[in-house]
Amino acid sequence: MEAGVEFCLPCLSEQYWGAGGRGENSSPLLAALLNLKLKNILEIKERSTPQMNAEELKRRFAAGERYFTAVNLSKDKLIGAYLPGINLWGSDLSGANLAKAKLWGADLSRTNLANANLTRANLSGVKLNEANLRGAKLNYAKLYGANLTGAYYDESTRFSKGFDPISRNMQKV
């Protein structure tokens, strides 16, 4: 197969399986192409969700990298980390300690922050759309201009005194 040749996976699937889904039009070549394409998709996904720790993230951020989507930093310590404008869309930061972190302007949309410590973190202008904030500690966190639309919280989520999650379009679960 030539590099750069693109295949439409749904198109190939329909050709292989037929409209009835019974493999009426199956051919060994088409089956091999489907298996190869699936293998490539899985390899790309595996490479795009790297396992890294807090020190690696900070090193790469300091070197100018800003996009760390879907990384796993669960239970890592990022206390006081300076990461303004970082993109952690869809990442797992459950149980992470981000106390006093500087994250203004970051994209934390769809990020799992369940049971994370965000005490005194600067989250000004941060996108937290549809983030999981169940059990998170947001005491004294700066949330000026933060977008919390659709973010999830529960009874154990801790906010600063006077913070109203309903007025910020958050969803209680």
Side-chain angles (χ1 to χ4, degrees):
M1 196 164 58
E2 289 183 42
V5 175
E6 289 295 319
F7 294 95
C8 170
L9 197 54
C11 300
L12 288 175
S13 295
E14 188 172 322
Q15 289 173 9
Y16 178 73
W17 292 109
R22 293 181 296 278
E24 300 145 348
N25 301 326
S26 61
S27 75
L29 176 60
L30 203 46
L33 286 173
L34 282 171
N35 287 334
L36 182 61
K37 188 66 173 179
L38 182 59
K39 183 181 175 187
N40 287 341
I41 290 169
L42 293 175
E43 286 174 2
I44 290 167
K45 179 160 176 50
E46 192 173 290
R47 284 194 308 261
S48 68
T49 55
Q51 296 294 321
M52 72 171 68
N53 61 26
E55 296 309 312
E56 175 74 4
L57 175 82
K58 290 189 277 188
R59 184 190 66 72
R60 288 169 59 179
F61 185 88
E65 196 170 339
R66 295 296 179 264
Y67 297 96
F68 301 92
T69 57
V71 295
N72 184 353
L73 294 163
S74 179
K75 298 181 182 172
D76 275 1
K77 293 180 182 173
L78 289 156
I79 302 165
Y82 183 80
L83 304 167
I86 193 166
N87 186 332
L88 289 165
W89 186 97
S91 294
D92 184 0
L93 293 162
S94 58
N97 192 341
L98 293 147
K100 299 181 182 178
K102 283 77 174 167
L103 297 164
W104 59 82
D107 188 350
L108 301 177
S109 300
R110 295 190 174 187
T111 298
N112 184 3
L113 290 158
N115 301 309
N117 183 0
L118 292 154
T119 303
R120 296 188 186 278
N122 188 335
L123 302 171
S124 298
V126 170
K127 294 176 187 173
L128 284 157
N129 311 71
E130 300 178 21
N132 179 3
L133 294 169
R134 290 181 259 190
K137 295 175 187 168
L138 292 151
N139 307 63
Y140 306 107
K142 293 179 183 170
L143 291 164
Y144 311 110
N147 187 341
L148 291 150
T149 302
Y152 301 97
Y153 71 100
D154 62 14
E155 308 81 36
S156 62
T157 305
R158 297 291 165 246
F159 297 104
S160 294
K161 186 178 179 179
F163 181 83
D164 178 20
I166 295 168
S167 70
R168 302 296 289 272
N169 299 315
M170 295 178 71
Q171 296 180 25
K172 187 172 184 179
V173 288

